[in-house]
Amino acid sequence: MGLPDAPGDLSSEVDVDAFRRLFPLRFYERHLTESIRPDGRPLGRARDTTIALGAVASAEGSALAKIGSTTMLAAIKMEVMTPSMDSPDEGCIAIDFHMPPICSPIVRPGRPAEIAPVVSKQLSDTISSSGMINLKELSLVSGKAAWMAYLDIYCLDADGALFDAALLSAVAAFSHLQIPAVSLNDDGKIVVVSEENGGKLEKDAVNKERMKLTLKSIPFSLTCVLHKNYILADPTAEEESIMETVVTVVLDSSSQLVSLYKPGGPVLAYTSAIQDCVALTRQRMKELQKILDEANSGMEVD
Amino acid sequence: MAGKPGTTPTTYSPSPTNQKIRRPIFNENEVDWVRPDGRGFHQCRPAFFRTGAVNAASGSAYAEFGNTKVIVSVFGPRESKKAMMYSDIGRLNCSVSYTTFATPARGQGSEHKDFSSMLHKSLEGAIILETFPKTTVDVFALVLESGGSDLPVVISCASLALADAGILMHDLVASVSLSCLGKNLVIDPILEEESYQDGGLLITCMPSRYEVTQLTVTGEWSTPKINEGMQLCLDACSKLAKIMRSCLKEATSTSQE
């Protein structure tokens, strides 16, 4: 196979895979003019999304969320702590996002991905500012004891839209969370009431039954890639690497804007583009709400 | 992902060949002792394997043995680190990590720092390193949930992931561990049994070649017990390799359809 001299002629001579690797941007632009993406999706459609609750038996609440092949495993472990002086009747939530080396070829042990702490911070900001969780519900004895919820999210497979998948797995894990029953023992310490002796509770039971948190205004997000005048919803890793301008919109279940991220990128987002992204997120929010409700109702049947 | 085991033959317990000799031991005062999950002493947990768990990797596998759940991704062969010297044969790089929620108490997984080197040692004999000179194959394992016998599950899962990535090996590597509790040998111990054990034994082998790549014996053992334990593990390993092989066959037959 001889080397063609001008890149303009290449499209007809090299095969599709080689063209995709050599001229990724032109490959995508050819698709975009036809209003379709290489994986067969229309521009505004997100990938198939699934949620499986209770994936980790050793945690009090857990969920596995998949958007396309992007996979996130979130699990919540509850520990009893002494609340701070400033907020004696509130619990606390610690959120951490991890990208272990298994998830992507760019992460290696000892060389963590740059994006991991960014997503981690975005997640804590979003969850705390959405007001989804009433921290007072995590209080046990005012000023003495409260729950500390450790939420750890692991990216098992990174293929774009990491924040969306991480947020989805986080809210799903909170919806699955069962706070264990605890009681106050004679030494004034909190002890977990185990299943076996659950029948004979001590008189100082703090919360008698395992309980669920009431989640109000759950946040859902959609990441879009902007390129020229095109808006691509829910990008894959390949799309994110080729077209670098991303906009992430977070809406809560009553369609109120929780947060909006546009971290740089060569394309300036016009207000109309931002509005289009919000409109796409509104649609997506309804889809995600339905998927989450179905996952939860599936758990109740079991 | 938590698929239901049962579609493929998933039990790999060793067959009771010399059970008659052992029986008198059980007939003493320990008959009433049962394992926490109700298994027989020589009964393994159902094994579930699935390849292709991570799309971003060259090859990957997910394994679930009871509550022990691990994912292994293989990357490469790819360029070695710049600082590495020239090498005629390929390099193998292994790393095992735990999620913070893997263990009953949060963040205990960092205790297993030796697992990365153990994984490396049990695999390097099986991989034909000559086939990818100058480059490195990375094997990364993440223990999602620790339910006991973590290392053998990681090793078996890693060899399946290597096969999925198309890395040439002499044979699949299967690994089984065993705990010595008093007079009894319990195979494929769960976390609770491992914490009470008097001694532990781990065998990693290539069953078709009948070669052992790693043997670790810790704690208090008598020579006859070691012999008995090794036989049990080797038998279980060869059965485990059959399950792994059927998983690979299933994966290729579904991809061809």
Side-chain angles (χ1 to χ4, degrees):
Chain A
M1 219 166 65
L3 277 174
D5 35 24
D9 309 323
L10 270 175
S11 52
S12 55
E13 289 180 34
V14 296
D15 67 16
V16 181
D17 275 345
F19 187 75
R20 185 178 194 163
R21 281 179 161 243
L22 289 169
F23 307 105
L25 194 57
R26 280 181 51 201
F27 175 80
Y28 266 89
E29 281 175 349
R30 282 279 286 275
H31 278 85
L32 295 182
T33 52
E34 308 286 333
S35 295
I36 192 139
R37 290 152 78 171
D39 55 6
R41 281 187 286 162
L43 303 192
R45 184 174 310 155
R47 292 166 288 176
D48 285 347
T49 306
T50 55
I51 299 175
L53 297 177
V56 182
S58 57
E60 276 83 27
S62 60
L64 182 88
K66 278 189 89 145
I67 299 180
S69 42
T70 300
T71 310
M72 297 284 170
L73 180 67
I76 304 171
K77 278 214 172 241
M78 304 294 282
E79 280 176 23
V80 177
M81 55 133 195
T82 317
S84 70
M85 299 293 278
D86 304 335
S87 48
D89 52 357
E90 284 185 1
C92 196
I93 299 170
I95 299 170
D96 222 343
F97 175 72
H98 310 259
M99 285 182 78
I102 64 157
C103 77
S104 161
I106 58 165
V107 190
R108 298 204 186 183
R111 193 154 29 117
E114 279 176 13
I115 192 172
V118 179
V119 174
S120 196
K121 180 79 170 65
Q122 283 183 358
L123 281 170
S124 355
D125 288 353
T126 303
I127 288 173
S128 64
S129 65
S130 69
M132 172 174 74
I133 290 153
N134 182 1
L135 291 176
K136 292 201 163 58
E137 277 189 48
L138 294 173
S139 175
L140 288 166
V141 183
S142 181
K144 291 269 172 58
W147 285 113
M148 176 89 191
Y150 288 100
L151 167 62
D152 287 283
I153 301 160
Y154 280 83
C155 177
L156 304 182
D157 198 349
D159 188 19
L162 298 183
F163 176 77
D164 296 356
L167 182 63
L168 184 64
S169 71
V171 298
F174 273 118
S175 76
H176 175 253
L177 176 66
Q178 290 257 352
I179 300 178
V182 289
S183 63
L184 213 57
N185 71 1
D186 300 337
D187 310 332
K189 282 195 176 149
I190 299 281
V191 287
V192 174
V193 179
S194 60
E195 304 256 315
E196 292 96 64
N197 57 15
K200 38 170 188 173
L201 277 172
E202 289 160 62
K203 53 180 184 287
D204 289 325
V206 180
N207 58 336
K208 290 195 178 63
E209 279 172 17
R210 303 209 295 166
M211 60 163 207
K212 286 203 149 199
L213 288 173
T214 40
L215 303 182
K216 43 177 190 185
S217 62
I218 301 174
F220 293 106
S221 72
L222 179 69
T223 299
C224 297
V225 154
L226 305 183
H227 180 68
K228 293 182 178 164
N229 288 321
Y230 304 110
I231 300 175
L232 284 76
D234 184 28
T236 61
E238 191 187 9
E239 288 165 347
E240 278 182 353
S241 69
I242 297 165
M243 298 166 277
E244 287 165 344
T245 314
V246 294
V247 175
T248 302
V249 181
V250 187
L251 295 179
D252 70 9
S253 26
S254 48
S255 284
Q256 281 189 314
L257 187 66
V258 178
S259 52
L260 196 148
Y261 302 99
K262 190 209 170 268
V267 176
L268 283 171
Y270 294 105
T271 39
S272 64
I274 301 276
Q275 277 168 356
D276 289 345
C277 289
V278 173
L280 281 169
T281 312
R282 197 168 294 140
Q283 275 177 29
R284 177 71 173 154
M285 183 265 288
K286 292 192 181 103
E287 275 173 43
L288 291 174
Q289 178 87 62
K290 197 165 154 247
I291 293 166
L292 183 61
D293 288 347
E294 274 168 10
N296 270 309
S297 61
M299 286 302 285
E300 279 158 25
V301 172
D302 288 341
Chain B
M1 189 159 60
K4 286 187 177 63
T7 46
T8 46
T10 53
T11 173
Y12 60 99
S13 318
S15 30
T17 42
N18 47 359
Q19 197 77 21
K20 284 198 187 79
I21 311 162
R22 274 199 303 275
R23 219 158 247 157
I25 305 171
F26 294 173
N27 287 340
E28 288 172 21
N29 47 6
E30 288 160 48
V31 200
D32 52 339
W33 186 75
V34 284
R35 297 179 73 172
D37 51 2
R39 277 184 289 152
F41 291 165
H42 300 159
Q43 194 185 348
C44 301
R45 292 171 293 181
F48 172 78
F49 290 105
R50 173 76 44 94
T51 54
V54 181
N55 276 343
S58 320
S60 62
Y62 168 77
E64 187 174 322
F65 288 46
N67 272 339
T68 306
K69 295 167 191 165
V70 306
I71 279 192
V72 180
S73 289
V74 172
F75 296 95
R78 59 185 179 184
E79 190 185 5
S80 296
K81 276 191 203 133
K82 294 280 189 296
M84 292 278 201
M85 293 279 286
Y86 172 82
S87 163
D88 266 345
I89 58 166
R91 283 193 176 86
L92 176 68
N93 176 31
C94 296
S95 162
V96 180
S97 52
Y98 274 66
T99 59
T100 52
F101 46 78
T103 44
R106 192 173 174 275
Q108 267 179 340
S110 51
E111 287 167 16
H112 304 286
K113 288 218 165 75
D114 52 334
F115 280 13
S116 301
S117 117
M118 301 267 276
L119 176 63
H120 182 271
K121 281 170 186 149
S122 52
L123 290 176
E124 67 179 350
I127 299 173
I128 309 174
L129 294 168
E130 290 79 10
T131 54
F132 47 96
K134 296 185 272 183
T135 51
T136 304
V137 165
D138 289 302
V139 178
F140 298 139
L142 181 68
V143 179
L144 303 178
E145 209 178 328
S146 159
S149 306
D150 299 340
L151 185 60
V153 177
V154 165
I155 294 170
S156 308
C157 189
S159 90
L160 208 57
L162 283 164
D164 185 47
I167 308 290
L168 286 186
M169 289 187 285
H170 294 295
D171 186 14
L172 281 174
V173 179
S175 179
V176 173
S177 70
L178 183 131
S179 282
C180 184
L181 284 148
K183 289 176 179 173
N184 301 316
L185 295 178
V186 294
I187 201 160
D188 193 24
I190 60 167
L191 214 52
E192 201 183 336
E193 292 164 335
E194 276 183 331
S195 64
Y196 292 129
Q197 72 183 12
D198 301 313
L201 187 146
L202 171 99
I203 281 194
T204 303
C205 68
M206 297 187 275
S208 321
R209 292 164 66 100
Y210 211 65
E211 281 179 352
V212 173
T213 63
Q214 192 175 38
L215 169 66
T216 316
V217 183
T218 53
E220 219 174 285
W221 285 90
S222 62
T223 314
K225 274 266 179 287
I226 290 186
N227 282 333
E228 186 190 337
M230 275 169 49
Q231 277 312 316
L232 281 168
C233 281
L234 284 172
D235 196 15
C237 277
S238 63
K239 288 184 176 160
L240 183 61
K242 277 190 194 125
I243 299 173
M244 291 159 66
R245 199 153 281 147
S246 73
C247 164
L248 280 176
K249 279 183 192 157
E250 229 169 78
T252 48
S253 65
T254 46
S255 68
Q256 276 166 7
E257 273 163 23

